[in-house]
Amino acid sequence: MARRVTYQILDMPDGRFAVAATIEPDKTVFRNGFATQAEADAWVEGLRAIMAALGAPVSLAVREYPGSLPLDEVLAFLRKAPTETG
């Protein structure tokens, strides 16, 4: 069975862009160093083509933010998120 893939484009503090792609259930890979968001978008389209050949759909991780997310804000949010115990 093909696994679902989600991605998000991140706006890095140095002005470049990165893509975080997660293959269910928990494998995340990063591709960084894109000079523009358009370059990151093009890489995602290539990822889509490759994953389509494998039957794995690719979708945006945070649909409310179709553009890039500032990495600093993402990290701040994750630090505030409650952790599971037990």
Side-chain angles (χ1 to χ4, degrees), residues 14-73:
D14 66 358
R16 293 179 185 239
F17 295 86
V19 178
T22 302
I23 302 168
E24 287 184 341
D26 61 358
K27 175 72 174 177
T28 300
V29 294
F30 292 89
R31 170 70 166 85
N32 58 18
F34 298 106
T36 65
Q37 186 168 343
E39 288 179 7
D41 288 332
W43 187 85
V44 168
E45 289 309 312
L47 175 65
R48 249 185 238 289
I50 292 168
M51 299 312 288
L54 300 172
V58 175
S59 62
L60 190 60
V62 183
R63 294 181 191 273
E64 295 81 18
Y65 295 97
S68 62
L69 289 173
L71 181 62
D72 293 339
E73 291 180 27

